[in-house]
Amino acid sequence: MEKMDRKEQAIMLHKNGFNCAQSVACAFCNVMGADPVTTFRLAEPLGFGMGNMGTCGAVSAMALVVGMKMSDGNLDHPGTKKECYKMMKELTEAFVSKNGSMICSEIKGVETKKVLRSCDGCIEDAVALLDKYLLGIE
């Protein structure tokens, strides 16, 4: 059987009831060296645009993955904030460029009735952007 790529894994998780943030974050557990249950729990409130159709959960999950991968974890002398912020700026700009927004309600067309992207599409985009910008995988 052919191994699933990260995008396929994330979509499968979403179809199995994970929210958008959980789907993205959990697809990167092996990269982050993170426990799937802890990752699932941390990402849960980020879905549905943090519960109120604000920042897209797939985008919020990108931030979790970036922090887990790039942060030095140095509690006494944190030294990686600028690098993490720079990476998130690149990721969010690329996401907005592709989808027109990173706000869930705008992406879903709540007011305009024009859907910019499906949840699965946002999940796929977040995974692809993390692969490209964070891991250097095209």
Side-chain angles (χ1 to χ4, degrees):
M1 183 173 154
E2 197 173 307
K3 187 178 176 193
M4 261 191 284
D5 71 19
R6 221 180 319 277
K7 281 194 281 190
E8 292 169 331
Q9 180 186 4
I11 295 303
M12 182 197 71
L13 294 173
H14 193 237
K15 291 192 182 324
N16 287 338
F18 286 41
N19 70 32
C20 49
Q22 291 166 322
S23 300
V24 172
C26 288
F28 283 87
C29 281
N30 64 331
V31 171
M32 299 184 297
D35 169 57
V37 173
T38 301
T39 302
F40 180 91
R41 293 173 74 188
L42 287 170
E44 191 158 331
L46 302 176
F48 195 63
M50 295 190 195
N52 65 4
M53 297 194 89
T55 301
C56 171
V59 171
S60 296
M62 288 194 300
L64 282 177
V65 173
V66 166
M68 288 294 294
K69 181 73 174 155
M70 293 182 67
S71 174
D72 61 15
N74 188 332
L75 302 181
D76 295 323
H77 301 287
T80 50
K81 290 184 286 193
K82 286 182 183 175
E83 291 86 359
C84 287
Y85 298 162
K86 182 178 184 274
M87 178 60 68
M88 279 311 298
K89 184 177 190 300
E90 290 177 28
L91 288 167
T92 55
E93 285 175 353
F95 188 91
V96 170
S97 176
K98 180 160 179 54
N99 297 301
S101 180
M102 62 182 224
I103 304 302
C104 181
S105 62
E106 293 174 7
I107 295 167
K108 297 289 128 220
V110 171
E111 290 182 20
T112 64
K113 305 299 182 221
K114 180 182 178 211
V115 176
L116 302 176
R117 192 82 164 122
S118 68
C119 291
D120 281 350
C122 289
I123 290 166
E124 289 173 344
D125 293 343
V127 170
L129 290 170
L130 284 166
D131 276 345
K132 178 179 178 180
Y133 287 88
L134 186 65
L135 304 180
I137 301 168
E138 292 284 340

